[in-house]
Amino acid sequence: MNEETKLKLKILKYLKSFPNSYVMKLSSLFCSGYPDLLFIHNGNPFFFELKSSKGKATKLQLWTIEQLKNAGARAYIVKSLQEVKNIIERREIMAQAQNEQAFVVEFRDAKEKLDSLKEQLSVAQKQFDDIEARLVEMLQTDEKESTAKYEKIG
């Protein structure tokens, strides 16, 4: 078994240990240049071209990796299991940071909406207080007028 095959087996074992993920060996029988492995984790596709410690990617493999990256995929040439672990860990940390950043933005937006609603409530309360004061004033005026009319009659 050559070095690249041994590496492929180690990496496959590692990638298959992730829950809710998918990993497959891509066949080179029909198309040259495709990476060796496709790994999908948390909706993110990763392509890995495996090389032995002395192996080098072909021009076609380099071009394919570049095309995959341009399409938004994560595509890498790796020479060790540790490289794969570092890539996955780095992506996990970045995803967590993005989630935390999204939460902060969402929280800030919610706070701005709450502050806006508080301001609207304050304006509405002032309007209500003004209307209530005018009603009380009108009722008191009507009461005084009615009392005056009653006293004239009586």
Side-chain angles (χ1 to χ4, degrees), residues 22-63:
Y22 177 79
V23 64
M24 75 177 284
K25 295 182 283 184
L26 299 175
S27 173
S28 61
L29 294 175
F30 303 107
C31 278
S32 299
Y34 278 98
D36 296 306
L37 299 175
L38 166 62
F39 175 61
I40 302 172
H41 182 56
N42 291 332
N44 297 305
F46 295 82
F47 291 89
F48 294 107
E49 174 61 41
L50 311 178
K51 292 295 173 193
S52 66
S53 58
K54 295 176 185 163
K56 291 190 176 197
T58 66
K59 287 181 182 181
L60 181 57
Q61 288 170 330
L62 293 171
W63 180 85

Side-chain angles (χ1 to χ4, degrees), residues 110-153:
K111 186 176 181 328
E112 287 174 7
K113 286 177 184 175
L114 178 62
D115 291 343
S116 174
L117 288 171
K118 284 179 180 178
E119 180 63 32
Q120 291 173 16
L121 180 60
S122 176
V123 168
Q125 183 65 49
K126 184 172 179 356
Q127 291 172 341
F128 176 81
D129 291 345
D130 290 346
I131 291 169
E132 183 181 40
R134 281 187 275 160
L135 282 172
V136 168
E137 186 180 312
M138 287 172 48
L139 288 172
Q140 288 173 343
T141 302
D142 283 351
E143 184 181 338
K144 288 177 185 176
E145 290 174 0
S146 294
T147 302
K149 286 180 186 176
Y150 179 73
E151 287 175 354
K152 284 184 184 178
I153 295 174

Side-chain angles (χ1 to χ4, degrees), residues 2-8 11 33-37 48-62 65 76-81 83-84:
N2 67 29
E3 186 182 344
E4 192 172 307
T5 302
K6 289 177 186 177
L7 177 61
K8 185 185 295 186
I11 292 173
Y34 278 98
D36 296 306
L37 299 175
F48 294 107
E49 174 61 41
L50 311 178
K51 292 295 173 193
S52 66
S53 58
K54 295 176 185 163
K56 291 190 176 197
T58 66
K59 287 181 182 181
L60 181 57
Q61 288 170 330
L62 293 171
I65 293 285
Y76 306 92
I77 298 171
V78 295
K79 293 186 175 194
S80 71
L81 174 59
E83 280 184 79
V84 172

